[in-house]
């Protein structure tokens, strides 16, 4: 992963975190835990993320409703979005 642009303003939003490999890399690259908002649709994976990552906001929900989800969790400003969504495996109506 290369250096992330975006400065210190706003959240870094990760879409489709799964088991947290990219989450771990983002934290390892210096993204502050309180600036990281992680969106995961699968309830079991969201529970896994909550158990394994203290600090980031773990938001359970569908990224197609991103604006609503972020607002509901107090995320008003976004500095960067990182996507790990499996776009090729999603139904055409969602992509």
């Amino acid at each position: 992963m290369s250096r992330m642009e975006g400065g210190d303003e706003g959240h870094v939003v990760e879409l489709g975190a799964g088991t947290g490999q990219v989450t771990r890399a983002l934290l390892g690259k210096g993204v502050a835990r309180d600036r990281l908002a992680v969106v995961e649709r699968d309830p079991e994976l969201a529970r896994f993320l909550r158990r394994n990552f203290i600090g980031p906001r773990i938001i359970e929900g569908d990224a197609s409703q991103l604006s609503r989800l972020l607002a509901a969790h107090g995320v008003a400003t976004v500095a960067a979005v990182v996507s790990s969504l499996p776009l090729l495996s999603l139904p055409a109506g969602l992509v």
Side-chain angles (χ1 to χ4, degrees):
M1 180 179 298
S2 64
R3 190 179 76 133
M4 182 177 304
E5 301 297 328
D8 295 329
E9 300 296 323
H11 284 80
V12 175
V13 177
E14 179 188 359
L15 305 179
T19 59
Q21 295 303 311
V22 173
T23 307
R24 189 169 288 106
L26 290 168
L27 294 169
K29 285 291 186 179
V31 174
R33 291 177 181 276
D34 64 343
R35 286 188 60 215
L36 185 56
V38 177
V39 179
E40 176 52 56
R41 181 174 71 169
D42 183 281
E44 187 173 329
L45 289 172
R47 281 191 297 277
F48 174 86
L49 293 165
R50 285 188 193 99
R51 284 192 310 267
N52 289 281
F53 293 96
I54 305 301
R57 294 173 199 236
I58 309 298
I59 301 171
E60 184 179 328
D62 195 306
S64 68
Q65 302 295 313
L66 188 58
S67 294
R68 182 185 61 76
L69 290 171
L70 295 179
H73 288 85
V75 177
T77 306
V78 175
V81 176
V82 178
S83 177
S84 297
L85 294 175
L87 295 177
L88 295 178
S89 67
L90 295 175
L94 289 178
V95 180

